[in-house]
Amino acid sequence: MKPWEANIRRVTPYVPGEQPKKENMIKLNTNENPYGPAPGVKEAMENFDTDLFRLYPDPAAGILVDALAGRYGLERGQVFVGVGSDDVLAMAFLTFFNSGKPVLFPDISYSFYSVWAELYGIPYERPALDEDFCIRKEDYYRENGGIIFPNPNAPTSLAMGLSDVEDIVAKNQESVVIVDEAYIDFGGESALPLIQKYENLLVVQTFSKSRSMAGLRIGYAMGNEALIKALNDVKYSFNSYTMNQTSLVLGREALRDEAYFKETLEKIKATRKRSMERLSALGFVYPEPSANFIFASRPGTDAKALFMALREKDIYVRYFDAPRIDQYLRITIGTDEQMDALFRFLEDYLRKDPL
């Protein structure tokens, strides 16, 4: 080893979902929205003043912060924006989890949490989900340096009731509790109303899923003004210009079309319901989904072998080679046509490999 190599920070990185570039593939592995963003986004893109590209964007992201504050009935000082919710969450780890006590998050959850904890040298513990993949709120009634969990959870798609979320927040008012609501628009009840009651609560959401804008990387956090100021102080010490001009303008446009937003959500929910019925008919089991994906297993059918067989036919789902979940596939809800193609393959595959 060379002398300088001894000082390299070594971490095991997060592994994102595969991003193949093939014609006519069916991509159901990264929980993207199969429908485009609101029509106003395309119109704003076509009329965008490219002269703005020579200027630095507003470091306070004012037009987007104001639009989000108006959408949710908040003061602008209660909103923070970042480059996707991953950026927001990474900033939150860096800002709030510094007590030396372990941060708590579920053992089966968004795998980036442990990556950030290790990157920043934050101790952590991962209370186990119960046998039904549910978070046990009682596991979080103990001393900690902070708490974070997704609701609905990923990759299980299970949502925790708001009263249970509040119990966790109420019993941990000496530390910051972050509720990661990347999928909340597809099911479950947002913890956002609780930020007016609990100063230690931060709610994080994203444009990547329900607003069909994963490619623009827009995430945001909502909480009391002291939390948001602390996040901005860290952001300005790290990189003042995190949000580009295009994302600011197009993000604002996306928030203006509530009718389109609700229409696409209902289409995804309807397809999810039909997909659940078809999976059940084929012998699959799954937790009750509240996100835009289903976490499914079929007793007697090897999940990894099925994953590979699907992949050979350019149908991409997500497989996790991890304890307790290595016999499950996470299947994003696509269009009706995409899901029909998936089920045609499954029917044929299972005829050759019955229970």
Side-chain angles (χ1 to χ4, degrees), residues 1 24 81 94 96-97 101 112 211 237 241 244 248 274 289 303 305 313 328 341 350:
M1 179 181 292
N24 302 316
V81 299
L94 191 59
F96 301 119
F97 297 159
K101 300 174 184 177
F112 228 142
R211 294 194 182 275
S237 303
Y241 303 106
N244 64 67
L248 292 174
R274 287 193 294 273
K313 296 297 183 180
Y328 284 80
L350 294 173

Side-chain angles (χ1 to χ4, degrees), residues 14-256:
Y14 171 75
V15 179
E18 189 175 3
Q19 296 285 358
K21 305 296 182 186
K22 295 183 177 182
E23 292 185 9
N24 302 316
M25 67 179 179
I26 297 175
K27 190 169 181 292
L28 306 174
N29 66 329
T30 49
N31 300 339
E32 293 151 328
N33 193 317
Y35 305 106
V41 173
K42 181 179 180 181
E43 183 179 347
M45 188 88 171
E46 292 171 346
N47 297 314
F48 196 87
D49 180 6
T50 56
D51 189 53
L52 289 173
F53 292 158
R54 68 183 180 81
L55 305 173
Y56 283 107
D58 173 13
I63 63 171
L64 183 54
V65 166
D66 287 343
L68 285 163
R71 166 68 171 75
Y72 293 105
L74 302 172
E75 300 296 326
R76 71 177 312 187
Q78 294 177 288
V79 180
F80 172 88
V81 299
V83 185
S85 59
D86 288 340
D87 178 53
V88 175
L89 291 167
M91 288 287 176
F93 268 68
L94 191 59
T95 304
F96 301 119
F97 297 159
N98 297 296
S99 71
K101 300 174 184 177
V103 172
L104 306 180
F105 48 85
D107 68 329
I108 299 173
S109 190
Y110 187 29
S111 56
F112 228 142
Y113 298 158
S114 57
V115 173
W116 288 317
E118 291 172 8
L119 179 64
Y120 297 138
I122 300 168
Y124 64 93
E125 296 177 5
R126 301 189 300 175
L129 301 181
D130 70 16
E131 61 276 7
D132 297 317
F133 293 141
C134 295
I135 292 173
R136 292 181 285 217
K137 63 180 181 178
E138 295 81 9
D139 290 341
Y140 298 83
Y141 298 170
R142 57 188 170 94
E143 190 175 25
N144 62 77
I147 293 170
I148 181 169
F149 57 89
N151 195 41
N153 197 6
T156 65
S157 195
L158 277 168
M160 179 188 291
L162 186 58
S163 62
D164 289 341
V165 172
E166 182 171 7
D167 281 350
I168 292 174
V169 178
K171 287 181 168 60
N172 290 281
Q173 295 187 56
E174 294 184 0
S175 59
V176 173
V177 177
I178 301 173
V179 183
D180 180 358
E181 294 187 342
Y183 301 100
I184 196 66
D185 293 321
F186 301 105
E189 190 174 358
S190 176
L192 183 59
L194 299 179
I195 69 171
Q196 310 295 358
K197 185 176 179 181
Y198 299 99
E199 62 181 15
N200 64 316
L201 173 63
L202 193 73
V203 175
V204 177
Q205 296 186 9
T206 178
F207 281 49
S208 295
K209 314 301 182 185
S210 55
R211 294 194 182 275
S212 306
M213 297 175 75
L216 280 177
R217 313 307 302 130
I218 303 172
Y220 54 104
M222 297 169 286
N224 82 73
E225 293 192 6
L227 293 181
I228 300 305
K229 181 182 184 303
L231 275 172
N232 274 313
D233 287 347
V234 170
K235 168 193 165 180
Y236 294 144
S237 303
F238 186 80
N239 180 1
S240 297
Y241 303 106
T242 56
M243 294 294 294
N244 64 67
Q245 299 278 24
T246 311
S247 293
L248 292 174
V249 172
L250 301 188
R252 178 185 61 183
E253 290 303 318
L255 290 168
R256 289 176 170 172

